[in-house]
Amino acid sequence: MASMIEQCQVAPPPGCAAELTLPLTYFDVVWLPFRCMQRIQFYKLPIFKRDFIQTIIPTLKNSLSLALKHYIPLAGNVVCPLNSDGYPELRYVKGDSVSITFSESDMNFNYLVGNHPRNAKDFYHFIPQMAEAKRAQGVLLSPLLAINVTLFPSYGISIGFTHHHVVGDGASIAGFQKTWALLNKFGGNEQFLANELIPFYDRSLIKDPHGQGMSIWDDMKHKLDMSSIIVTPPPPDKVRGTFIIGRDDITKLKKLIFSRRSNLTHVTSFTATCAYVWTCLIKSEVAIGKEIDENITEFFLCAADCRSRLNPPLPQSYFGNCLVSVITKASHADLAGKEGFTIAVELIGETIQKRMKDEEWIVKCECIREFRNIDLNRTLSVSGSPKLDLYAIDFGWGRPEKVEFISIDSASGIAMSLSKYKDSDEDLEVGLSLPKTQMSAFAAIFTHGLSFF
């Protein structure tokens, strides 16, 4: 499906810092046991192999090196001590680099960038596998980023990313991708980099008065298996589908909510969209004959950016993780009933509003304790955010034709991706990875519901 053209390592340019070490905050260390995040961006570009080799590959490698000058931790490793006394950190030393592979594929580009159900396993030819962790001087070194660029001759290019979440959240990784893209687009000219794309590394602003970082590390260090984090086998029985919720659809959903709950104060495009997807998924299980105990508890999980919620607040360019998990729960019977959508909107909105006002809840990492008590198999989680604006990442070839969140394939329960729609900032794009029969049922319920409203 894909044949390799070149595999190489790209390092920051000469003259960069010889070493950089960043301690993990409690926002970071919690991500150590999670599988790597994977995403693919597809670009329409009608070029052939010779031009790809002679022009695209050299400029991508050069601009990547320049981007790593600013995002130098991505070229390094997460360092986990093998003894019981140490604490993990991010570390870059001179000679570290990022693995990037250039390939060619004869797969149908238009099939891959469609919205219709596509076999999930077809996308795994275009994402990189992270190198295995290595032991060295009493520590375990695990790389943080790998990249795979694939040419579809006369059709386009895909850029696949695999990164360890411990290095940074979606905002941080998107900042790196936008920086790389701008440097590639403008021939390495750094004057086009906006200030918000220059990462802020000062972690002393994140206070840990309760010692949460060390407490989290103590709980996980004896059972942490880095090999299971890196290897992500393709799912054998899932299809990927994309669903668009337009501005008019969102307006109709909001009007419906206010007609039933006029006093609600936190009804946003995010809460309305997530609640609608959540209830459609619940109904799709019923539609395919899956027997679910109506008294079972269903969970919804999303991540909230806390940069502006800390004291003192962090700049938006802060590089690292600064997320908390917001968890909402409801009975299956409530969500499957006629008022399911209304109940879901109210619960999601109220929970987000409550948690984001509670600084003590954030600092004490209470979300971790809540996470331990949920049933992951009955959880819908959200990956991505419209605020990341991934369709604005232009390497000089125009906006991406499609962005696929590959990581949602391997989630326990069900995960949905959420981003701005490629053709409109006011429309939203939802990605799902489901068994084929459930995807068909969901698509019918989703479409019928929007037309009915």
Side-chain angles (χ1 to χ4, degrees), residues 110-119 239-242 402 439:
N110 291 327
Y111 161 80
L112 292 169
V113 301
N115 290 342
H116 61 285
R118 294 141 294 147
N119 288 330
V239 295
R240 302 180 64 84
T242 305
K402 194 67 181 296
M439 184 69 81

Side-chain angles (χ1 to χ4, degrees), residues 82-83 97 159 206 285 341 349 430:
L82 296 173
N83 60 53
S97 57
I159 303 183
I206 298 182
E285 290 183 317
F341 170 62
V430 173

Side-chain angles (χ1 to χ4, degrees), residues 146-159:
I147 301 169
N148 189 358
V149 182
T150 303
L151 168 69
F152 301 83
S154 79
Y155 286 98
I157 289 173
S158 72
I159 303 183

Side-chain angles (χ1 to χ4, degrees), residues 4 22 33 45 63 84 98 157 171 217 220 228 230 241 282 297 303 317 347 363 385 434 447:
M4 185 187 299
L22 295 174
L45 188 65
S63 56
S84 59
V98 171
I157 289 173
W217 170 242
M220 74 170 63
S228 66
I230 293 169
I282 296 295
T297 301
S317 59
L347 289 174
V363 173
S385 166
L434 299 169
T447 304

Side-chain angles (χ1 to χ4, degrees), residues 37 39 165 169-172 174 177-178 268-271 273-274 301-305 307 316 323 352 381-393 403 405 408 416-421 425 427-431:
M37 307 302 293
R39 186 166 65 229
H165 208 312
D169 54 26
S172 294
Q177 292 174 332
K178 291 174 183 177
T268 65
S269 297
F270 176 86
T271 57
T273 299
C274 290
L301 186 155
C302 66
D305 190 321
R307 284 169 172 78
Q316 287 304 304
L323 301 174
I352 292 174
S381 57
V382 182
S383 182
S385 166
K387 295 179 180 179
L388 300 181
D389 201 7
L390 299 177
Y391 279 101
I393 300 176
V403 177
F405 292 72
I408 65 174
M416 59 177 275
S417 64
L418 186 63
S419 60
K420 288 182 180 179
Y421 181 45
D425 286 347
D427 301 338
L428 296 180
E429 183 175 301
V430 173

Side-chain angles (χ1 to χ4, degrees), residues 294-359:
E294 65 175 14
N295 296 315
I296 200 169
T297 301
E298 305 283 1
F299 297 89
F300 173 83
L301 186 155
C302 66
D305 190 321
C306 293
R307 284 169 172 78
S308 63
R309 306 289 178 174
L310 299 182
N311 186 18
L314 297 177
Q316 287 304 304
S317 59
Y318 170 78
F319 184 88
N321 288 284
C322 195
L323 301 174
V324 292
S325 297
V326 177
I327 299 169
T328 302
K329 61 183 179 180
S331 74
H332 179 84
D334 283 345
L335 295 177
K338 290 183 178 180
E339 292 294 310
F341 170 62
T342 307
I343 292 169
V345 172
E346 183 174 10
L347 289 174
I348 293 173
E350 287 183 348
T351 305
I352 292 174
Q353 196 171 37
K354 176 182 177 182
R355 294 310 187 198
M356 289 300 94
K357 289 181 178 179
D358 191 342
E359 183 183 339

